[in-house]
Amino acid sequence: MNKVHQYQGITGLKNIAKHVGMNPSTLATRVIEHKWPIEKAVNTPVKKAGSRTAKKVDAISVKTVFGVRFPDELSPLWRLSLGMKFKQKKVEAE
């Protein structure tokens, strides 16, 4: 049996939710699943999305940067493969 819900002269959960500016599924969950009275369901503030969950650390925002401490000590081939500019050692003629 479907129960007809009425609030301030408005009939139906969808219409009531639209009238009070609430998501219809939130209102339906409160009234049908939680068995709240319609007045409590309408007058209880809606929590913002994600307010119940812990803050998740974005994996992309946490970076570990590995650097080369002494780039001058790298071989020319490594410097080339890493895209680093390298100076050729000057060979003095004897």
Side-chain angles (χ1 to χ4, degrees):
M1 181 175 116
N2 291 337
K3 184 175 179 181
V4 177
H5 299 281
Q6 192 170 11
Y7 178 75
Q8 294 181 350
I10 300 167
T11 307
L13 290 178
K14 198 175 202 179
N15 294 331
I16 295 168
K18 185 177 180 180
H19 175 71
V20 297
M22 181 181 226
N23 188 326
S25 64
T26 301
L27 184 61
T29 300
R30 288 177 173 184
V31 172
I32 296 169
E33 291 181 23
H34 300 302
K35 301 196 184 332
W36 287 9
I38 193 77
E39 291 80 18
K40 179 182 176 184
V42 168
N43 294 323
T44 303
V46 179
K47 291 183 180 179
K48 292 182 181 178
S51 64
R52 293 176 291 169
T53 59
K55 301 276 183 189
K56 294 181 181 178
V57 177
D58 189 8
I60 296 172
S61 67
V62 178
K63 287 185 180 178
T64 305
V65 179
F66 295 98
V68 179
R69 274 186 193 219
F70 306 104
D72 294 336
E73 295 180 4
L74 289 174
S75 73
L77 290 176
W78 269 110
R79 293 174 69 76
L80 179 66
S81 65
L82 293 173
M84 300 170 71
K85 295 181 181 178
F86 64 93
K87 299 176 188 174
Q88 291 184 337
K89 293 182 181 178
K90 294 181 181 178
V91 179
E92 294 182 19
E94 291 183 28

